[in-house]
Amino acid sequence: MKFLSIALTIATAGSIVAAQPHKHQHRHLEKKDATTTQAVNGPVVTMYKLGDKNIDYDEAMKGIAEHRYVVDNGALKAAPSTSASSTTSTTATSVQQKSSSSASSSSSSSPANNAASSSSASTSSAASSTSASAAASSSASSSGSSSNSGSNSGSTSSTSSGGTSGGQGVDKDFDDGSVDCSHFPSDYGAINVDWMKLGGWSGIQYMNGNDVSSTAIAGNTCTGDAMCSYACPPGYQKSQWPLDQPASQRSVGGLHCQNGKLHLTNPGLSKKLCIKGVGGVKIQNKLQTNSAVCRTDYPGTESETVPLDTQSGETHPLTCPDSGTYYKASYGDGHTSAQYYVNPAGVSVSDACKWGDSSKPWGNFAPVNLGVGKRDGAIWASITQNSPTTNAKLDFNVELQGDLSCKCKYNSSQGLYEDDNGTNPNGCTVKVMSGDVTFVFS
């Protein structure tokens, strides 16, 4: 492959995020001012300019997803840091103790503030902001509460795989090195994500050493030297990723296909493919229809391909990782929390839980992010606007219920978020004081 370095400014955020994050064909972006291109034979890799530094497409996507970069007047720039003295962060409002009459600002050390970054890892660099949103952006709009979002007071506990197939044998040790790469391990607890057209896998990364050379697209298979990632049932999460992560700060995860067989990559953590989260976090659907909730596949492709299909009247566990024991990124403080995309009422998981585009408020363009994580013994939870990705408004209410440090709700009639300080367009973050916490859709 021939590489062509192009000093390129980005015309709009949407021109980046509308494309798949690890695509094989790079789209032609609008060039401004004196920017030029040069024709060469063979594939071209597009580079972006940040100051004097050239940045490739994947790093630009990742940086915007983590809010290390922003698009300002058509140019890619380092994101400003968020002041700890502010009463509200750019994407999550302040956390308050119930006993306090004044608002205390949410710290970047709060896992839920960082739970919705596309890599789901908090960072402490000046170029990052305390965020509970993921990148990939579109301006799509929806109004108020739809007819689909009427109340349904019935609530049943669900132990299914969240509307998808697989999940059997979740507590069975994986037969390391004996299972063919062509066999998707649904008999070991993995959930078949068939709409990705990757043989059931939630994502496949083809490796060159310990780094990613390319990411699979529909029709590709788990073969050769590949990391093959998978989804787990509600309440569980992937246990496998190599401890030797790329120096490029990409994350890789899943089972390793090597010599035609699937191998565990983190047997020291577990020999089971799926492990339980910390518990204590739920989703209750009081709508008249489903809402698809999609977790980012992290570590891995970092696309929102881990499905939970919340049906009317159902209650599901929502997986919450412990930052002390789960995956740690190689940069920043490395602590991991979980990010979920909440899609409009009635959208199927097969439409919602995959990389989307700006034509619909689905997938990475879903209006609302949920963040959950446990750190230093406390569970944190957030509801935030998926900004700067989109200004679209979710068509139903989302409220956190439990013994919480403050109120936290998305009000669909206003398109605003509510906490003890009032309303704001960004979101809210809470600490769970005791017991369970439930995200209620109504």
Side-chain angles (χ1 to χ4, degrees), residues 23 126 150 158 167 169 195 205 231 249 292-293 301 331 341 361 403:
K23 61 191 175 122
S158 172
W195 57 87
Q205 297 167 298
Q249 298 187 357
V293 178
T301 62
Y331 54 93
Y341 290 76
D403 182 13

Side-chain angles (χ1 to χ4, degrees), residues 125-410:
S125 70
S128 67
S129 60
T130 55
S131 170
S133 63
S137 174
S138 150
S139 290
S141 62
S142 70
S143 58
S145 298
S146 76
S147 59
N148 288 331
S149 58
S151 175
N152 184 332
S153 59
S155 175
T156 59
S157 177
S158 172
T159 56
S160 72
S161 58
T164 51
S165 62
Q168 297 77 27
V170 70
D171 294 319
K172 182 169 62 174
D173 284 354
F174 185 71
D175 197 1
D176 191 18
S178 298
V179 179
D180 290 342
C181 295
S182 59
H183 175 77
F184 180 74
S186 57
D187 46 343
Y188 291 92
I191 299 298
N192 190 321
V193 186
D194 56 1
W195 57 87
M196 295 297 294
K197 303 187 186 304
L198 298 174
W201 303 99
S202 58
I204 301 173
Q205 297 167 298
Y206 299 112
M207 306 299 293
N208 180 12
N210 84 325
D211 209 343
V212 179
S213 62
S214 62
T215 301
I217 60 173
N220 290 162
T221 60
C222 177
T223 187
D225 184 17
M227 287 290 176
C228 304
S229 191
Y230 53 91
C232 290
Y236 289 80
Q237 57 194 346
K238 178 173 62 181
S239 68
Q240 298 302 303
W241 60 84
L243 298 181
D244 182 20
Q245 290 283 312
S248 64
Q249 298 187 357
R250 294 179 181 178
S251 70
V252 296
L255 296 170
H256 190 191
C257 176
Q258 196 171 32
N259 299 320
K261 301 293 183 180
L262 293 171
H263 296 266
L264 296 171
T265 53
N266 197 1
L269 176 64
S270 179
K271 294 183 179 179
K272 299 173 177 59
L273 297 190
C274 298
I275 56 176
K276 290 183 178 181
V278 300
V281 183
K282 301 174 184 177
I283 283 184
Q284 182 181 17
N285 185 339
K286 292 185 176 181
L287 307 174
Q288 294 177 351
T289 186
N290 80 299
S291 173
V293 178
C294 312
R295 180 177 175 175
T296 50
D297 184 10
Y298 181 77
T301 62
E302 304 180 20
S303 297
E304 56 294 326
T305 53
V306 178
L308 173 57
D309 192 14
T310 69
Q311 292 289 331
S312 176
E314 291 184 347
T315 298
H316 292 270
L318 189 69
T319 309
C320 177
D322 187 330
S323 67
T325 59
Y326 202 59
Y327 173 78
K328 289 183 173 62
S330 59
Y331 54 93
D333 71 4
H335 290 282
T336 298
S337 44
Q339 172 204 347
Y340 297 87
Y341 290 76
V342 182
N343 291 267
V347 180
S348 68
V349 290
S350 60
D351 286 327
C353 296
K354 62 183 180 182
W355 201 257
D357 60 50
S358 60
S359 65
K360 299 180 180 69
W362 304 348
N364 52 306
F365 293 89
V368 167
N369 292 140
L370 309 180
V372 291
K374 183 176 183 179
R375 186 167 183 178
D376 299 328
I379 291 176
W380 299 78
S382 65
I383 308 170
T384 59
Q385 182 68 26
N386 183 15
S387 70
T389 303
T390 180
N391 293 319
K393 304 304 179 184
L394 191 63
D395 55 356
F396 55 85
N397 300 326
V398 182
E399 183 175 11
L400 279 164
Q401 294 184 358
D403 182 13
L404 310 175
S405 60
C406 68
K407 178 180 181 180
C408 185
K409 179 181 180 179
Y410 168 73

